[in-house]
Each structure stands twice: as C-alpha cells, then as structure tokens.
Coordinates of all heavy atoms in Angstrom, one line a residue:
M276 N 185.4 26.6 95.5 CA 185.4 27.0 96.9 C 186.8 27.0 97.5 O 187.5 26.0 97.3 CB 184.4 26.1 97.7 CG 183.0 26.2 97.3 SD 182.2 27.7 97.9 CE 181.9 28.6 96.4
P277 N 187.1 28.0 98.2 CA 188.5 28.1 98.8 C 188.7 27.0 99.9 O 187.8 26.6 100.5 CB 188.5 29.5 99.4 CG 187.4 30.2 99.0 CD 186.4 29.2 98.5
D278 N 190.0 26.6 99.9 CA 190.4 25.7 101.0 C 191.0 26.5 102.1 O 191.6 27.5 102.0 CB 191.5 24.8 100.4 CG 191.0 23.6 99.6 OD1 189.8 23.3 99.8 OD2 191.7 23.1 98.7
I279 N 190.8 25.9 103.3 CA 191.4 26.5 104.5 C 192.5 25.5 105.0 O 192.1 24.4 105.4 CB 190.4 26.7 105.6 CG1 189.1 27.4 105.1 CG2 191.0 27.3 106.9 CD1 187.9 27.3 106.0
K280 N 193.7 25.9 104.9 CA 194.8 25.0 105.4 C 195.2 25.4 106.8 O 195.4 26.6 107.1 CB 196.0 25.1 104.5 CG 197.0 24.1 104.8 CD 198.1 24.0 103.7 CE 199.1 23.0 104.1 NZ 200.4 23.2 103.4
L281 N 195.2 24.4 107.7 CA 195.6 24.7 109.1 C 197.1 24.5 109.3 O 197.7 23.8 108.5 CB 194.8 23.8 110.0 CG 193.3 23.9 109.8 CD1 192.6 22.9 110.7 CD2 192.8 25.3 110.2
S282 N 197.6 25.2 110.3 CA 199.1 25.1 110.5 C 199.5 23.6 110.8 O 200.7 23.3 110.7 CB 199.5 26.0 111.5 OG 198.7 25.9 112.7
N283 N 198.6 22.8 111.2 CA 199.0 21.4 111.5 C 198.9 20.5 110.2 O 199.0 19.3 110.3 CB 198.1 20.8 112.6 CG 196.6 20.6 112.1 OD1 196.3 20.9 110.9 ND2 195.8 20.2 113.0
G284 N 198.6 21.1 109.1 CA 198.6 20.4 107.8 C 197.2 20.0 107.3 O 197.0 19.6 106.2
A285 N 196.2 20.0 108.2 CA 194.8 19.6 107.8 C 194.2 20.7 106.8 O 194.6 21.8 106.9 CB 193.9 19.5 109.1
V286 N 193.4 20.2 105.9 CA 192.8 21.1 105.0 C 191.3 20.9 105.0 O 190.8 19.8 105.0 CB 193.3 20.8 103.5 CG1 192.6 21.7 102.5 CG2 194.8 21.0 103.4
I287 N 190.5 22.0 105.1 CA 189.1 21.9 105.1 C 188.6 22.8 104.0 O 189.2 23.8 103.6 CB 188.4 22.2 106.4 CG1 188.7 23.6 106.9 CG2 188.8 21.2 107.5 CD1 188.1 23.8 108.3
N288 N 187.4 22.5 103.4 CA 186.9 23.2 102.3 C 185.8 24.2 102.8 O 185.0 23.8 103.7 CB 186.3 22.3 101.3 CG 185.9 23.1 100.0 OD1 184.7 23.2 99.8 ND2 186.9 23.5 99.3
F289 N 185.9 25.4 102.4 CA 184.9 26.4 102.8 C 183.8 26.4 101.7 O 184.0 26.7 100.6 CB 185.5 27.8 102.8 CG 184.5 28.9 103.3 CD1 184.4 29.1 104.7 CD2 183.7 29.6 102.5 CE1 183.5 30.0 105.2 CE2 182.8 30.5 102.9 CZ 182.7 30.7 104.3
D290 N 182.6 26.0 102.1 CA 181.5 26.0 101.1 C 180.4 27.0 101.5 O 180.5 27.5 102.6 CB 181.0 24.6 100.8 CG 180.3 24.0 102.1 OD1 179.6 24.7 102.8 OD2 180.5 22.8 102.4
N291 N 179.4 27.2 100.7 CA 178.4 28.2 100.9 C 177.5 27.9 102.1 O 176.8 28.8 102.5 CB 177.6 28.3 99.6 CG 178.3 29.1 98.6 OD1 179.2 29.8 98.9 ND2 178.0 28.8 97.3
S292 N 177.6 26.7 102.6 CA 176.7 26.4 103.8 C 177.3 27.1 105.0 O 176.6 27.1 106.0 CB 176.5 24.9 103.9 OG 177.7 24.3 104.2
A293 N 178.5 27.5 105.0 CA 179.1 28.2 106.2 C 178.9 29.7 106.0 O 179.3 30.2 104.9 CB 180.5 27.8 106.4
R294 N 178.4 30.4 107.0 CA 178.2 31.8 106.8 C 179.6 32.6 107.0 O 179.8 33.6 106.3 CB 177.2 32.3 107.9 CG 176.7 33.7 107.6 CD 175.7 34.2 108.7 NE 176.4 34.4 110.0 CZ 176.9 35.6 110.3 NH1 176.8 36.7 109.5 NH2 177.4 35.8 111.5
T295 N 180.4 32.0 107.9 CA 181.7 32.7 108.2 C 182.8 31.6 108.3 O 182.5 30.4 108.5 CB 181.6 33.4 109.5 OG1 181.4 32.5 110.6 CG2 180.5 34.5 109.5
L296 N 184.0 32.1 108.4 CA 185.1 31.1 108.7 C 184.9 30.5 110.0 O 185.3 29.3 110.2 CB 186.4 31.9 108.6 CG 187.0 31.9 107.1 CD1 187.9 33.1 106.9 CD2 187.6 30.6 106.8
L297 N 184.4 31.2 111.0 CA 184.3 30.6 112.3 C 183.3 29.4 112.2 O 183.5 28.4 112.8 CB 183.8 31.6 113.3 CG 183.6 31.2 114.8 CD1 184.9 30.6 115.4 CD2 183.1 32.3 115.7
D298 N 182.2 29.6 111.5 CA 181.2 28.5 111.3 C 181.9 27.3 110.7 O 181.7 26.2 111.1 CB 180.1 28.9 110.4 CG 179.1 29.9 111.0 OD1 179.2 30.1 112.2 OD2 178.4 30.5 110.2
A299 N 182.7 27.5 109.7 CA 183.4 26.4 109.0 C 184.4 25.7 109.9 O 184.4 24.5 109.9 CB 184.1 26.9 107.8
L300 N 185.1 26.4 110.8 CA 186.0 25.8 111.7 C 185.3 25.0 112.8 O 185.7 23.9 113.1 CB 186.9 26.9 112.3 CG 187.8 27.7 111.3 CD1 188.5 28.8 112.0 CD2 188.8 26.7 110.7
E301 N 184.2 25.6 113.3 CA 183.5 24.9 114.3 C 182.8 23.6 113.8 O 182.8 22.6 114.5 CB 182.4 25.8 114.8 CG 182.9 26.9 115.7 CD 181.8 27.8 116.2 OE1 180.8 28.0 115.5 OE2 182.0 28.4 117.3
R302 N 182.4 23.6 112.5 CA 181.8 22.4 111.9 C 182.8 21.3 111.9 O 182.5 20.1 112.0 CB 181.4 22.8 110.5 CG 180.5 21.7 109.9 CD 180.0 22.2 108.6 NE 179.2 23.4 108.8 CZ 178.8 24.1 107.7 NH1 179.2 23.8 106.5 NH2 178.1 25.2 107.9
E303 N 184.1 21.6 111.9 CA 185.2 20.6 111.9 C 185.6 20.3 113.3 O 186.6 19.7 113.5 CB 186.4 21.1 111.1 CG 186.1 21.3 109.6 CD 185.7 20.0 108.9 OE1 186.3 19.0 109.1 OE2 184.8 20.1 108.0
Q304 N 184.8 20.7 114.3 CA 185.1 20.5 115.7 C 186.4 21.2 116.2 O 187.0 20.7 117.1 CB 185.2 19.0 116.0 CG 184.2 18.1 115.3 CD 182.8 18.2 115.9 OE1 182.7 18.4 117.1 NE2 181.9 18.0 115.0
L305 N 186.8 22.2 115.5 CA 188.0 22.9 115.9 C 187.7 23.9 117.0 O 186.6 24.6 116.9 CB 188.6 23.6 114.7 CG 189.2 22.6 113.7 CD1 189.4 23.3 112.3 CD2 190.5 22.0 114.1
E306 N 188.5 24.0 118.0 CA 188.2 24.9 119.1 C 188.8 26.3 118.8 O 190.0 26.5 118.7 CB 188.8 24.3 120.3 CG 187.8 24.2 121.4 CD 188.3 23.6 122.6 OE1 188.9 24.3 123.4 OE2 188.1 22.3 122.8
V307 N 187.9 27.2 118.6 CA 188.3 28.6 118.3 C 187.6 29.5 119.4 O 186.4 29.3 119.7 CB 187.9 29.1 117.0 CG1 188.4 30.5 116.7 CG2 188.2 28.1 115.9
N308 N 188.4 30.3 120.1 CA 187.8 31.2 121.1 C 186.8 32.2 120.4 O 187.1 32.6 119.2 CB 188.9 32.1 121.7 CG 189.7 31.3 122.7 OD1 189.2 30.3 123.2 ND2 191.0 31.7 122.8
F309 N 185.8 32.5 121.0 CA 184.9 33.5 120.5 C 184.1 34.1 121.6 O 184.0 33.5 122.7 CB 184.0 33.0 119.4 CG 183.0 32.0 119.9 CD1 181.7 32.5 120.4 CD2 183.2 30.7 120.0 CE1 180.8 31.6 120.9 CE2 182.3 29.8 120.5 CZ 181.1 30.2 120.9
H310 N 183.5 35.3 121.3 CA 182.6 35.8 122.3 C 181.4 36.5 121.6 O 180.3 35.9 121.5 CB 183.3 36.8 123.2 CG 182.5 37.4 124.3 ND1 181.9 36.6 125.3 CD2 182.0 38.6 124.5 CE1 181.2 37.3 126.1 NE2 181.2 38.6 125.6
C311 N 181.7 37.6 120.9 CA 180.6 38.4 120.3 C 180.1 37.8 119.0 O 178.9 37.9 118.6 CB 181.0 39.8 120.1 SG 182.2 40.0 118.8
R312 N 181.0 37.1 118.2 CA 180.7 36.6 116.9 C 180.2 37.7 115.9 O 179.5 37.5 114.9 CB 179.6 35.5 116.9 CG 179.9 34.4 117.8 CD 178.9 33.3 117.7 NE 179.1 32.5 116.5 CZ 179.7 31.3 116.4 NH1 180.1 30.7 117.5 NH2 179.9 30.7 115.3
E313 N 180.6 39.0 116.2 CA 180.2 40.1 115.4 C 181.4 41.0 115.0 O 181.1 42.1 114.4 CB 179.2 41.0 116.1 CG 177.9 40.2 116.5 CD 176.9 40.2 115.4 OE1 177.1 40.7 114.3 OE2 175.8 39.6 115.6
G314 N 182.6 40.7 115.4 CA 183.7 41.5 115.0 C 184.0 42.7 116.0 O 184.8 43.6 115.7
Y315 N 183.4 42.6 117.2 CA 183.6 43.6 118.2 C 184.7 43.3 119.2 O 185.4 44.2 119.6 CB 182.3 43.9 119.0 CG 181.1 44.3 118.2 CD1 179.9 43.7 118.4 CD2 181.2 45.3 117.3 CE1 178.8 44.1 117.6 CE2 180.1 45.7 116.5 CZ 178.9 45.1 116.7 OH 177.8 45.4 116.0
C316 N 184.8 42.1 119.7 CA 185.6 41.8 120.8 C 187.0 41.4 120.5 O 187.9 41.5 121.4 CB 184.9 40.7 121.7 SG 184.9 39.1 121.0
G317 N 187.2 40.8 119.4 CA 188.6 40.3 119.0 C 188.9 38.9 119.6 O 190.0 38.4 119.4
A318 N 188.0 38.3 120.3 CA 188.3 37.0 121.0 C 188.7 35.9 120.0 O 189.4 35.0 120.3 CB 187.1 36.6 121.8
C319 N 188.2 36.0 118.8 CA 188.4 34.9 117.8 C 189.6 35.1 117.0 O 189.9 34.3 116.1 CB 187.1 34.8 116.9 SG 186.9 36.3 115.9
R320 N 190.4 36.1 117.2 CA 191.6 36.5 116.4 C 192.5 35.2 116.1 O 192.8 34.5 117.0 CB 192.4 37.5 117.2 CG 193.4 38.2 116.5 CD 194.1 39.3 117.3 NE 193.3 40.5 117.4 CZ 192.8 41.0 118.5 NH1 193.0 40.5 119.7 NH2 192.1 42.1 118.5
C321 N 192.7 35.0 114.8 CA 193.6 33.9 114.4 C 194.7 34.5 113.5 O 194.6 35.7 113.0 CB 192.9 32.9 113.6 SG 191.7 31.9 114.6
K322 N 195.7 33.7 113.2 CA 196.8 34.2 112.3 C 196.4 33.8 110.9 O 196.0 32.7 110.6 CB 198.1 33.6 112.7 CG 198.8 34.3 113.8 CD 200.2 33.9 113.9 CE 200.8 34.6 115.1 NZ 201.8 33.7 115.7
L323 N 196.6 34.8 110.0 CA 196.4 34.5 108.6 C 197.8 34.4 108.0 O 198.5 35.4 107.8 CB 195.7 35.7 107.9 CG 195.4 35.5 106.4 CD1 194.5 34.3 106.2 CD2 194.6 36.8 105.9
L324 N 198.3 33.2 107.7 CA 199.7 33.0 107.3 C 199.8 33.2 105.8 O 200.8 33.6 105.3 CB 200.1 31.5 107.6 CG 200.0 31.1 109.1 CD1 200.3 29.7 109.3 CD2 200.8 32.0 109.9
C325 N 198.7 33.0 105.0 CA 198.8 33.1 103.6 C 197.4 33.2 103.0 O 196.4 32.6 103.6 CB 199.5 31.8 103.2 SG 199.5 31.5 101.5
G326 N 197.2 34.0 102.0 CA 195.9 34.1 101.3 C 195.1 35.4 101.8 O 195.7 36.2 102.5
E327 N 193.9 35.5 101.4 CA 193.1 36.7 101.7 C 191.7 36.4 102.2 O 191.1 35.5 101.7 CB 193.0 37.4 100.3 CG 193.2 38.9 100.3 CD 193.0 39.5 98.9 OE1 193.8 39.1 98.0 OE2 192.0 40.2 98.8
V328 N 191.3 37.2 103.1 CA 189.9 37.1 103.6 C 189.2 38.4 103.3 O 189.8 39.4 103.2 CB 189.8 36.7 105.1 CG1 190.5 35.4 105.4 CG2 190.3 37.8 106.0
S329 N 187.8 38.3 103.3 CA 187.1 39.6 103.2 C 186.1 39.6 104.3 O 185.6 38.5 104.8 CB 186.5 39.7 101.8 OG 185.1 39.6 101.9
Y330 N 185.8 40.8 104.9 CA 184.9 40.9 106.0 C 183.5 41.2 105.6 O 183.3 42.0 104.7 CB 185.4 42.0 106.9 CG 186.6 41.6 107.7 CD1 187.9 42.0 107.3 CD2 186.5 40.8 108.8 CE1 189.0 41.6 108.0 CE2 187.6 40.3 109.5 CZ 188.9 40.7 109.1 OH 190.0 40.3 109.8
I331 N 182.6 40.5 106.2 CA 181.1 40.6 105.9 C 180.7 42.0 106.3 O 180.1 42.8 105.6 CB 180.3 39.6 106.6 CG1 180.7 38.2 106.2 CG2 178.8 39.8 106.4 CD1 180.2 37.1 107.0
N332 N 181.1 42.4 107.6 CA 181.0 43.8 108.0 C 182.4 44.2 108.6 O 183.0 43.4 109.2 CB 180.0 43.9 109.2 CG 178.6 43.5 108.7 OD1 178.1 44.0 107.8 ND2 178.0 42.6 109.4
E333 N 182.8 45.4 108.3 CA 184.1 45.8 108.8 C 184.2 45.7 110.3 O 183.4 46.2 111.0 CB 184.3 47.3 108.3 CG 185.8 47.7 108.2 CD 186.6 46.7 107.4 OE1 186.2 46.2 106.4 OE2 187.7 46.4 107.9
P334 N 185.2 44.9 110.8 CA 185.2 44.7 112.3 C 185.6 45.9 113.0 O 186.4 46.7 112.6 CB 186.3 43.6 112.4 CG 187.1 43.7 111.2 CD 186.2 44.2 110.1
L335 N 185.1 46.0 114.3 CA 185.5 47.1 115.1 C 186.7 46.7 116.0 O 187.4 47.6 116.5 CB 184.3 47.5 116.1 CG 183.1 48.1 115.3 CD1 182.0 48.5 116.3 CD2 183.5 49.4 114.5
A336 N 186.9 45.4 116.2 CA 188.0 45.0 117.0 C 189.3 45.3 116.3 O 189.4 45.3 115.0 CB 187.9 43.5 117.3
F337 N 190.4 45.5 117.0 CA 191.7 45.8 116.4 C 192.3 44.5 115.8 O 192.3 43.5 116.4 CB 192.6 46.3 117.6 CG 194.0 46.7 117.1 CD1 194.1 47.7 116.2 CD2 195.1 45.9 117.5 CE1 195.4 48.1 115.8 CE2 196.3 46.3 117.1 CZ 196.5 47.4 116.2
V338 N 192.7 44.6 114.6 CA 193.3 43.5 113.9 C 194.7 43.9 113.3 O 194.8 44.8 112.5 CB 192.4 43.0 112.7 CG1 192.9 41.7 112.1 CG2 191.0 42.8 113.1
R339 N 195.7 43.2 113.8 CA 197.0 43.5 113.3 C 197.3 42.9 112.0 O 196.6 41.9 111.6 CB 198.1 43.0 114.3 CG 198.3 43.9 115.5 CD 199.4 43.3 116.4 NE 198.9 43.3 117.8 CZ 198.5 42.3 118.5 NH1 198.5 41.1 117.9 NH2 198.0 42.4 119.7
K340 N 198.3 43.3 111.3 CA 198.7 42.7 110.0 C 199.0 41.2 110.3 O 199.6 40.9 111.3 CB 199.9 43.5 109.5 CG 200.1 43.4 108.0 CD 201.2 44.4 107.6 CE 201.7 44.2 106.2 NZ 201.2 43.4 105.3
G341 N 198.5 40.4 109.4 CA 198.8 38.9 109.6 C 197.8 38.3 110.5 O 198.0 37.1 110.9
E342 N 196.8 39.0 110.9 CA 195.7 38.4 111.8 C 194.4 38.6 111.1 O 194.3 39.5 110.2 CB 195.7 39.0 113.1 CG 196.9 38.8 114.0 CD 196.8 39.6 115.3 OE1 196.0 40.5 115.4 OE2 197.5 39.2 116.2
F343 N 193.4 37.9 111.5 CA 192.0 38.1 111.0 C 191.0 37.6 112.0 O 191.4 36.9 113.0 CB 191.8 37.4 109.6 CG 191.7 35.9 109.7 CD1 190.4 35.3 109.5 CD2 192.7 35.1 110.1 CE1 190.3 33.9 109.6 CE2 192.6 33.7 110.2 CZ 191.4 33.1 110.0
L344 N 189.8 38.0 111.8 CA 188.7 37.6 112.8 C 187.8 36.6 112.0 O 187.0 37.0 111.1 CB 187.9 38.8 113.2 CG 188.8 39.9 113.9 CD1 187.9 41.1 114.2 CD2 189.3 39.4 115.3
P345 N 187.9 35.3 112.3 CA 187.0 34.4 111.6 C 185.5 34.5 111.8 O 184.8 34.1 111.0 CB 187.5 33.0 112.1 CG 188.2 33.3 113.4 CD 188.8 34.7 113.3
C346 N 185.1 35.2 112.9 CA 183.6 35.3 113.1 C 182.9 36.2 112.1 O 181.7 36.1 112.0 CB 183.4 35.8 114.5 SG 183.7 37.6 114.7
C347 N 183.6 37.0 111.4 CA 182.9 37.9 110.5 C 183.6 38.0 109.1 O 183.5 39.0 108.5 CB 182.9 39.3 111.1 SG 184.4 39.9 111.7
S348 N 184.3 36.9 108.8 CA 185.0 36.9 107.5 C 184.8 35.6 106.7 O 184.4 34.6 107.3 CB 186.5 37.2 107.7 OG 187.1 36.1 108.5
V349 N 185.1 35.7 105.4 CA 185.0 34.6 104.5 C 186.3 34.6 103.7 O 186.9 35.7 103.5 CB 183.8 34.6 103.6 CG1 182.5 34.5 104.4 CG2 183.8 35.9 102.7
P350 N 186.8 33.4 103.3 CA 188.0 33.4 102.5 C 187.7 33.9 101.0 O 186.7 33.5 100.4 CB 188.4 32.0 102.5 CG 187.2 31.2 102.7 CD 186.3 32.1 103.5
V351 N 188.7 34.6 100.5 CA 188.6 35.1 99.1 C 189.4 34.2 98.2 O 189.1 33.9 97.1 CB 189.1 36.6 99.0 CG1 189.1 37.0 97.5 CG2 188.2 37.5 99.8
T352 N 190.5 33.7 98.8 CA 191.4 32.8 98.1 C 191.6 31.6 99.0 O 191.1 31.6 100.2 CB 192.8 33.4 97.9 OG1 193.3 33.7 99.2 CG2 192.7 34.7 97.1
D353 N 192.4 30.6 98.6 CA 192.8 29.6 99.6 C 193.6 30.3 100.6 O 194.3 31.2 100.3 CB 193.7 28.5 98.9 CG 192.9 27.6 97.9 OD1 191.7 27.7 97.9 OD2 193.6 26.9 97.2
I354 N 193.4 29.9 101.9 CA 194.1 30.5 103.0 C 194.8 29.5 103.8 O 194.4 28.3 103.9 CB 193.2 31.4 103.9 CG1 192.0 30.6 104.5 CG2 192.6 32.6 103.1 CD1 191.2 31.3 105.5
E355 N 195.8 30.0 104.5 CA 196.5 29.1 105.5 C 196.4 29.9 106.8 O 196.8 31.1 106.9 CB 198.0 28.9 105.1 CG 198.6 27.9 105.9 CD 200.0 27.5 105.4 OE1 200.3 27.7 104.2 OE2 200.8 27.0 106.2
I356 N 196.0 29.2 107.9 CA 195.8 29.9 109.1 C 196.4 29.2 110.3 O 196.6 28.0 110.2 CB 194.2 30.1 109.4 CG1 193.5 28.8 109.7 CG2 193.6 30.9 108.2 CD1 192.1 29.0 110.2
E357 N 196.5 29.9 111.4 CA 196.9 29.3 112.6 C 195.9 29.7 113.7 O 195.7 30.9 113.9 CB 198.3 29.7 113.0 CG 198.9 29.0 114.2 CD 200.4 29.5 114.5 OE1 201.2 29.6 113.5 OE2 200.6 29.8 115.6
I358 N 195.4 28.7 114.4 CA 194.4 29.0 115.5 C 195.3 29.0 116.8 O 195.9 28.0 117.1 CB 193.4 27.9 115.6 CG1 192.6 27.8 114.2 CG2 192.4 28.2 116.7 CD1 191.7 26.6 114.1
P359 N 195.2 30.1 117.6 CA 196.0 30.2 118.8 C 195.6 29.2 119.8 O 194.4 28.7 119.8 CB 195.9 31.6 119.3 CG 194.7 32.1 118.6 CD 194.4 31.3 117.4
Ligands
LIG550 S1 184.1 36.7 118.3 FE1 184.2 38.8 118.8 S2 185.4 39.5 117.2 FE2 185.1 37.5 116.6

C-alpha cells in the first residue's frame, strides 16, 4: 500500500479501508478543506510534490500541474503532498 508523505515529514499509509485520499487524511485528524467531496468545487486542492495519483472519477474542478484533489483520488505510487 502506498505511503503518503506530508511536507512536515509525517508519513501515513494508504490502505484499502480508505475510499479516497481525503478519507485517509481525515482519519489522521488532518485538516483539509472540502466542500463537495466529488471533484466539482476544487476546495480540497492540495499540492502533489512527488508521486502519482489516479482519479476515481475524472474531476470537473480545475487542477493545475502539481496539484490534485484528494476527495476523488487514490495514490498509485508513494506520494508526497502539501496541504495548504
Ligand atoms: S471537495 Fe470539492 S473537489 Fe474536492
């Protein structure tokens, strides 16, 4: 299972009990903005510093290079992220 490394150095493991990256981050009591949880609003946008994610459904919100939406994605490799 891929690891999620945070920019503060903490590492959490993504396992199958989390549906999305947002679920996994919330489980660790991390505060991530969100609204729709479906890839529409862009509120959950975080920085993807390293690694790859895949989207459960292609998001409608605008995502720049180096960003991702944790509410509708899962990690494909170990990833390093920054939560704004
Ligand atoms: S919470 Fe709306 S796009 Fe993620």
Side-chain angles (χ1 to χ4, degrees):
M276 293 283 115
D278 282 336
I279 307 162
K280 188 171 179 202
L281 305 174
S282 50
N283 68 5
V286 178
I287 61 184
N288 188 252
F289 185 88
D290 65 42
N291 286 335
S292 63
R294 194 181 72 89
T295 64
L296 273 158
L297 182 58
D298 289 346
L300 297 172
E301 285 177 333
R302 193 173 299 165
E303 298 295 319
Q304 321 285 330
L305 293 162
E306 235 177 80
V307 186
N308 287 331
F309 67 88
H310 185 62
C311 70
R312 304 185 77 102
E313 300 276 358
Y315 299 133
C316 71
C319 64
R320 192 175 282 122
C321 291
K322 278 196 184 145
L323 183 61
L324 305 176
C325 170
E327 223 181 293
V328 300
S329 112
Y330 286 99
I331 298 168
N332 296 309
E333 204 48 44
L335 293 181
F337 183 65
V338 188
R339 281 183 226 103
K340 206 171 168 7
E342 294 177 339
F343 74 108
L344 301 172
C346 73
C347 52
S348 62
V349 295
V351 176
T352 62
D353 288 351
I354 58 173
E355 192 173 336
I356 68 170
E357 188 178 314
I358 301 169

